[in-house]
């Protein structure tokens, strides 16, 4: 099996050598099933699990292998592709969001992605504000975003939607497509070059799995109809999976999201709202909140019709959300650090003796 078609290159070859592990080979995670991973190896497809040592060294669940990751694998047998993961190569990009639940945790959607397709259907569920959130995630990931407006056949004026998206995503390619009418395929095909890894993300029912099947030229992902009353869909894809396309690229399909909870900010927020951050430089006060301050260039842009007030509202909302999320994560890390310090604190002789005896059992 030639791993170059799955995205292997000279930079990853160097990183693999730097791991300094013996009797291992490179492999790529193509599906995540919890504690077990489907991997592609020089021998073909196989199953793999991490060693307990690696789990301990990685620590955080977000550092565990994810779809798209490159790992160092040791085969279980002389023949066959099943093995054990002993190491993880550095990621060139990581697409993540805040996992569901009250405890703030990062969830990796995909790793080592070159292009991130932000899929939004041109139906009743189309929402520019939601798309702005996906753009923040994309710019934070290290991957290059591409907006794919699916189901263009449902819109009376798809070009208007393209123009609206281009206003909130300057410099980002925006492509309107219709798998039903086979429109826009040439533009997508041009991006699917050999060695390139593409991931799709978007709301449930946006048509991600349909696009995978369309690009592959065969039904490799299940699809299902959406509700007619509100154009909302159900989760068709239940886990992340990577597919090799006939164009030469590899594509990662991900489960749809009811609501994207942002995780962290690495410059993606200011990049997604670049027009507002540039206007803010012209405000009279450097710490302007763009609310009631005099001499606010952002407010003046709204009054003149240059800026959509709803875009400013989303700018301020996501700013507050990211600050709150960052504060919660700092608090969690302090609690973890305190717990580790407490567990490593000196104990009485009895406790030390019992621990010594337990270690030898």
């Amino acid at each position: 099996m030639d791993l170059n078609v799955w995205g292997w290159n000279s930079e990853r070859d160097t990183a693999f050598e730097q791991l300094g592990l013996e009797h291992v080979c490179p492999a790529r995670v193509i599906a995540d099933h919890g504690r077990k991973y489907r991997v592609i190896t020089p021998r073909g497809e196989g199953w793999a699990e991490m060693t307990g040592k690696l789990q301990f060294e990685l620590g955080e669940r977000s550092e565990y292998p994810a779809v798209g990751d490159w790992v160092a694998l040791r085969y279980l047998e002389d023949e066959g592709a099943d093995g054990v993961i002993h190491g993880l190569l550095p990621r060139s990009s990581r697409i993540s969001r805040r996992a569901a639940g009250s405890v703030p945790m990062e969830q990796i959607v995909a790793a080592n992605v070159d292009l991130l397709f932000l899929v939004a259907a041109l139906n009743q569920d189309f929402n520019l504000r939601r798309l702005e959130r996906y753009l923040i995630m994309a710019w934070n990931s290290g991957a290059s975003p591409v907006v794919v407006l699916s189901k263009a056949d449902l819109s009376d004026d798809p070009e208007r939607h393209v123009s609206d998206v281009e206003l909130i995503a300057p410099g980002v390619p925006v492509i309107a497509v219709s798998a039903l009418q086979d429109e826009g395929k040439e533009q997508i095909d041009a991006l699917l070059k050999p060695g390139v890894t593409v991931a799709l993300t978007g709301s449930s029912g946006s048509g991600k799995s349909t696009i995978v099947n369309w690009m592959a030229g065969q039904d490799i992902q299940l699809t299902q109809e959406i509700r007619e009353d509100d154009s909302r869909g159900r989760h068709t894809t239940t886990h992340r999976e990577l597919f090799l396309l006939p164009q030469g690229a590899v594509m990662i399909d991900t489960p749809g999201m009811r609501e994207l909870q942002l995780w962290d900010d690495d410059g993606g927020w200011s990049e997604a709202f670049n027009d507002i951050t540039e206007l803010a430089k012209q405000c009279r006060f450097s710490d302007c909140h763009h609310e009631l301050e005099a001499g606010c260039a952002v407010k003046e842009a709204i009054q003149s019709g240059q800026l959509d007030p709803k875009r400013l509202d989303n700018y301020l909302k996501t700013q507050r959300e990211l600050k709150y999320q960052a504060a919660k994560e700092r608090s969690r890390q302090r609690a973890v650090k305190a717990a580790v310090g407490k567990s490593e604190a000196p104990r009485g002789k009895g406790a030390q003796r019992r621990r010594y005896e337990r270690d030898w059992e």
Side-chain angles (χ1 to χ4, degrees), residues 3 12 47 57 61 70 79 88-90 112 127 156 166 168 173 183 198 226 240 279 293 296 315 317 324 330 340 360:
L3 293 184
R12 294 191 170 106
W47 289 96
E57 290 175 347
R61 184 66 181 84
W70 288 95
E79 297 181 0
L88 182 68
L89 273 67
N112 299 310
N127 189 308
D156 294 332
E166 288 175 339
I168 68 165
E183 295 177 354
V198 180
I226 63 172
R240 299 160 191 83
L279 283 169
E293 296 89 344
C296 175
Y315 167 91
K317 176 185 176 182
Y324 176 71
R330 287 193 298 269
V340 171
W360 275 94

Side-chain angles (χ1 to χ4, degrees), residues 116-263:
L116 179 59
F117 285 8
L118 309 179
V119 183
L122 293 183
N123 54 22
Q124 298 177 50
D125 195 41
F126 181 72
N127 189 308
L128 285 173
R129 306 287 78 84
R130 184 193 303 127
L131 192 51
E132 288 170 343
R133 296 176 67 85
Y134 279 98
L135 282 164
I136 295 174
M137 179 182 72
W139 288 123
N140 278 331
S141 72
S144 298
V146 176
V147 177
V148 178
L149 302 180
S150 61
K151 307 181 183 182
D153 51 283
L154 298 181
S155 172
D156 294 332
D157 190 2
E159 289 304 316
R160 176 179 60 83
H161 289 294
V162 170
S163 299
D164 289 343
V165 174
E166 288 175 339
L167 287 175
I168 68 165
V172 176
V174 183
I175 306 172
V177 303
S178 170
L180 182 65
Q181 298 181 351
D182 201 34
E183 295 177 354
K185 191 173 187 296
E186 298 81 3
Q187 293 172 274
I188 299 293
D189 275 343
L191 300 174
L192 304 180
K193 299 176 181 178
V196 172
T197 298
V198 180
L200 295 90
T201 188
S203 301
S204 302
S206 60
K208 299 184 298 300
S209 296
T210 297
I211 290 175
V212 173
N213 294 337
W214 187 33
M215 293 299 109
Q218 58 180 314
D219 292 340
I220 58 178
Q221 282 288 71
L222 293 175
T223 60
Q224 59 187 12
E225 297 297 324
I226 63 172
R227 296 195 301 257
E228 296 293 341
D229 55 348
D230 59 1
S231 294
R232 300 300 295 274
R234 294 174 294 172
H235 297 307
T236 303
T237 303
T238 57
H239 63 277
R240 299 160 191 83
E241 190 165 356
L242 188 151
F243 302 95
L244 181 61
L245 297 178
Q247 294 88 339
V250 291
M251 182 172 280
I252 301 173
D253 192 11
T254 66
M257 303 180 191
R258 296 296 187 199
E259 182 181 0
L260 172 60
Q261 295 291 328
L262 298 172
W263 171 244

